[in-house]
Amino acid sequence: MKKSWRRFFMDCLKCSPSTPKEVVAVDGEDNNVQVVERRKPGGWKCMPYIIGNETFERVASYGLTANFTVYLVSRYHMKQVAAANFVNVYSGVANSAPLLGAFISDAYWGRFRTLAYASVASLLGMVVMTLTAAIPQLRPANCSPADEEAGQCVGPTRPQLGVLILSLALMSVGSGGIRPCNLPFGVDQFDKTIESGRRGLASFFNWYYCTSTAAIILAMTLIVYIQSSVSWPVGFGIPAGLMVISITLFFLGMRLYVYVPAEGSVFSGIAQVFVAAYRKRRLELPAKDDVVGRERMLYDPPTASHRVMKLPLTPQFSFLNKAAVVCEGDRKEDGTPANSWSLCSVQQIEEVKCLIRILPVWPAGLACFVALAQQWTFVILQCLKMDRHVGPHFQIPSASVPIVALLALTLFIPIYDRLFVPLARRFTGIESGITLLQRQGAGIVMAASSMVVAGVVERMRRDSAVAHGGLYGSSPLSALWLAPQLVLMGIAEAFNAVGQVEFYNRQFPEHMQTIAGAFFTCSLAGASYLSAILVAAVGKYTRWLEDDNNMNANRLDYFYYLIAVLEVVNTLYFLVAAHFYRYKGATSTMEVEPKEGSEEGEPARAQGSTGEIIC
């Protein structure tokens, strides 16, 4: 029985070699045969395992990190600003890791194996984190309230800090594999060539984001409450147990999954376009109106799959078009390139252009998240100095207050989809109401507004705290005063963050969907790093964040106003970047994005057999 289970597990890690195979390609040089399984996509049969895995993983990961700032301050005796920076750095690492995970998944392991290994790594990190709360020797000694107020608490030793960093490193490895692969792996289970598969896929996206948001809300309420009011070891142990359930569900569906094998690194294809264009930099391209010349001189075969949008040749970044010029000896007898570093297809070149066009837009989304990131650090610290009571006996955990932003996002999306989009469609004629870039721009404006409101509320909180108890006093203001800025943050996220996810998934080439997901998490990572740098710079050159241990002695309101000014500058930058952006499949900057699926499967014209020139 033990041997049978082991073979069962290893078969699935190897793309289930026990199932029937189909020969799809033969390498002419060494006669290696590439095979994929003939299994029919299971669709919704696989979803209880995939969505269940994602739901429990979200509860586990957010349950550990949502209250992490409070854990560092209360149990590791870190200064408040230092704890906020520590969380920013960890968030940056955890959100940068998916880029590496996406590369490994696409080039070597495939999505299933990447998810399997990453889930185990994440579980190990959660176990180590739980041990830091359960074993007194792994964290600093407890500190009395008097010593805490006087700043006399002893911080962590190097070994203790090392164990904490080890747990975070393991969880970062886990997030690096889980975040970019989970959603695409679910998409792999649907057959997008049939109507029922497309309907199921659309429903899958809805359920995926619905359950993910519900999982985060659960983590930020029940799990955070247990950590703050019952026990830190129990509050950390529950997420670790949920991660075990997540992994178990994931492996239970192994016999139903479709396993898409790794296709090799997408980065090598990008490099090939630049190398080929450089080698042929002295060649002349056919004139724009010379259609016959273009057909004869440029290598433009049909796409490998009818599900890939056939991209037209565009004049933007025309120096790259030279990589498709067919020179004498560039092609084999069967018409394929003799050397991929000397000849690239028009499709390959246009896909690289898609990436180049996206790059100037990406920093604007990153800067927008700097404002949104404050809800997970300084907002929580503000709550510690405010009245969080609901009734005479219940006190809301400070880490649960940012849930207002999530609730605002969850409630606003149906309003946006059912009311705003149809109304906007009447005026713009665009199927989605507004373009993808217009949606992101609206989010940036909302983020700037939230920082202005945050500055006003923080000034009120600080003045009332000082008036009632001096610099070390607490404000009698209710923590619900933070709700307006959090609602604005949630709406900003509904516009910008969801808009970014859709933008990257629709504008990235189809075979780079894993990279598209990682690109979004890199925006979160960059925002965390930028926020940490901004906090450090403000603390060094101003007195706004001078006191690491007392928010009342600082001028956090000025810091919020500074971010608001930066968001205004970011808005101006975004307007310039959006003005020059050209959507995938569009032939001019004045053209809005093509309707999804309108050009998919468009047959390419045949490549002329006499189009070779002497280079």
Side-chain angles (χ1 to χ4, degrees):
M1 185 71 179
K2 183 177 180 181
K3 183 177 180 180
S4 175
W5 173 256
R6 181 183 178 186
R7 181 178 180 183
F8 172 71
F9 174 70
M10 294 306 296
D11 279 353
C12 288
L13 283 183
K14 297 176 182 177
C15 292
S16 192
S18 60
T19 57
K21 302 295 188 301
E22 179 180 8
V23 177
V24 296
V26 178
D27 191 327
E29 296 181 359
D30 51 13
N31 295 323
N32 285 334
V33 180
Q34 180 184 356
V35 294
V36 295
E37 65 175 82
R38 253 180 334 209
R39 178 178 294 162
K40 184 179 179 180
W44 275 105
K45 293 180 180 178
C46 305
M47 291 309 105
Y49 306 103
I50 294 177
I51 292 181
N53 164 259
E54 166 67 13
T55 301
F56 283 109
E57 189 276 330
R58 283 294 178 100
V59 175
S61 59
Y62 277 87
L64 276 173
T65 57
N67 210 21
F68 193 50
T69 303
V70 177
Y71 182 64
L72 293 176
V73 173
S74 62
R75 290 295 181 267
Y76 276 75
H77 312 313
M78 287 189 181
K79 305 296 184 181
Q80 292 183 358
V81 175
N85 257 357
F86 192 93
V87 173
N88 281 329
V89 171
Y90 163 67
S91 179
V93 173
N95 287 309
S96 298
L99 188 61
L100 178 60
F103 169 75
I104 294 174
S105 171
D106 288 343
Y108 302 107
W109 289 351
R111 289 169 187 145
F112 175 81
R113 293 180 68 184
T114 304
L115 281 168
Y117 295 147
S119 297
V120 174
S122 186
L123 174 61
L124 293 176
M126 294 177 184
V127 170
V128 175
M129 178 68 75
T130 303
L131 293 178
T132 64
I135 301 176
Q137 291 79 8
L138 296 181
R139 65 177 189 276
N142 293 332
C143 185
S144 65
D147 289 339
E148 184 176 350
E149 186 172 325
Q152 301 297 323
C153 297
V154 178
T157 63
R158 286 189 177 182
Q160 290 170 342
L161 195 59
V163 174
L164 180 66
I165 292 175
L166 173 63
S167 68
L168 297 177
L170 289 169
M171 287 193 291
S172 296
V173 171
S175 65
I178 294 172
R179 293 183 184 180
C181 296
N182 196 286
L183 184 61
F185 184 70
V187 173
D188 292 340
Q189 311 311 313
F190 292 92
D191 186 353
K192 294 181 282 294
T193 63
I194 59 177
E195 184 178 355
S196 61
R198 291 191 292 269
R199 287 181 182 176
L201 183 59
S203 182
F204 165 68
F205 280 118
N206 293 333
W207 278 102
Y208 182 91
Y209 285 107
C210 178
T211 56
S212 296
T213 303
I216 296 172
I217 292 174
L218 178 63
M220 296 185 63
T221 51
L222 180 60
I223 303 299
V224 167
Y225 176 78
I226 293 173
Q227 292 168 351
S228 300
S229 303
V230 179
S231 167
W232 284 103
V234 175
F236 284 163
I238 291 176
L242 293 175
M243 193 65 200
V244 173
I245 298 176
S246 172
I247 295 174
T248 303
L249 280 173
F250 183 63
F251 285 134
L252 283 176
M254 286 193 295
R255 288 298 187 187
L256 299 175
Y257 298 148
V258 167
Y259 301 92
V260 177
E263 299 178 353
S265 172
V266 297
F267 298 107
S268 61
I270 297 172
Q272 287 168 358
V273 171
F274 285 99
V275 171
Y278 178 78
R279 288 179 173 179
K280 297 177 178 179
R281 62 191 181 280
R282 302 185 188 280
L283 298 182
E284 293 292 334
L285 290 169
K288 295 181 180 179
D289 55 351
D290 187 3
V291 179
V292 176
R294 288 183 175 228
E295 291 183 354
R296 291 171 59 86
M297 292 179 60
L298 301 181
Y299 180 59
D300 192 15
T303 57
S305 171
H306 67 281
R307 289 179 290 178
V308 176
M309 177 187 289
K310 186 71 176 74
L311 300 177
L313 185 68
T314 59
Q316 194 177 31
F317 311 118
S318 60
F319 64 94
L320 294 177
N321 295 349
K322 297 181 180 181
V325 175
V326 181
C327 294
E328 185 176 6
D330 271 352
R331 295 186 297 173
K332 300 177 183 177
E333 293 182 359
D334 60 359
T336 59
N339 184 353
S340 298
W341 296 89
S342 296
L343 180 63
C344 302
S345 67
V346 169
Q347 179 76 12
Q348 189 177 353
I349 293 169
E350 288 301 320
E351 289 176 348
V352 171
K353 290 181 182 180
C354 288
L355 300 183
I356 297 175
R357 295 179 187 124
I358 288 172
L359 288 177
V361 178
W362 178 74
L366 181 155
C368 177
F369 282 134
V370 171
L372 303 183
Q374 307 312 312
Q375 63 184 305
W376 307 111
T377 52
F378 286 116
V379 168
I380 294 175
L381 297 176
Q382 286 176 273
C383 291
L384 295 174
K385 294 290 187 178
M386 300 181 75
D387 181 14
R388 292 176 281 120
H389 285 89
V390 178
H393 303 294
F394 181 74
Q395 182 173 254
I396 302 174
S398 59
S400 295
V401 173
I403 199 177
V404 174
L406 294 178
L407 290 174
L409 184 152
T410 305
L411 294 175
F412 179 75
I413 286 180
I415 297 174
Y416 176 87
D417 187 58
R418 298 300 180 183
L419 296 179
F420 176 79
V421 171
L423 181 62
R425 189 186 297 135
R426 295 181 181 180
F427 295 96
T428 64
I430 301 173
E431 185 66 25
S432 57
I434 56 177
T435 66
L436 297 175
L437 291 176
Q438 287 171 344
R439 181 172 184 174
Q440 291 184 58
I444 295 175
V445 173
M446 296 295 292
S449 302
S450 72
M451 288 294 97
V452 174
V453 175
V456 173
V457 173
E458 167 57 16
R459 187 184 184 93
M460 293 170 53
R461 185 210 65 80
R462 182 182 181 276
D463 290 346
S464 64
V466 173
H468 285 80
L471 287 179
Y472 289 95
S474 292
S475 171
L477 286 178
S478 170
L480 293 178
W481 275 96
L482 298 172
Q485 71 195 58
L486 292 172
V487 169
L488 288 173
M489 287 181 181
I491 296 176
E493 192 169 351
F495 273 109
N496 189 271
V498 179
Q500 281 193 58
V501 171
E502 185 179 3
F503 176 76
Y504 294 138
N505 277 277
R506 290 180 59 180
Q507 297 301 302
F508 264 79
E510 283 77 3
H511 64 284
M512 297 185 187
Q513 293 303 303
T514 311
I515 299 294
F519 217 70
F520 173 73
T521 63
C522 284
S523 296
L524 302 176
S528 297
Y529 288 133
L530 187 57
S531 184
I533 293 172
L534 192 61
V535 169
V538 169
K540 182 177 180 180
Y541 296 107
T542 72
R543 295 184 176 181
W544 301 350
L545 301 175
E546 188 176 31
D547 194 325
D548 283 348
N549 203 41
N550 183 14
M551 296 304 298
N552 293 337
N554 296 324
R555 295 311 304 258
L556 185 60
D557 51 336
Y558 292 167
F559 179 69
Y560 283 152
Y561 292 142
L562 173 63
I563 296 179
V565 172
L566 294 177
E567 291 299 334
V568 172
V569 175
N570 183 43
T571 302
L572 298 177
Y573 168 80
F574 178 79
L575 290 175
V576 175
H579 175 74
F580 290 100
Y581 184 78
R582 178 176 296 161
Y583 287 98
K584 184 174 75 172
T587 56
S588 71
T589 56
M590 299 300 293
E591 192 175 344
V592 299
E593 70 265 27
K595 293 182 180 180
E596 186 175 357
S598 62
E599 297 183 63
E600 291 189 5
E602 179 184 334
R605 59 181 180 273
Q607 173 64 38
S609 59
T610 60
E612 294 183 354
I613 63 176
I614 300 177
C615 301

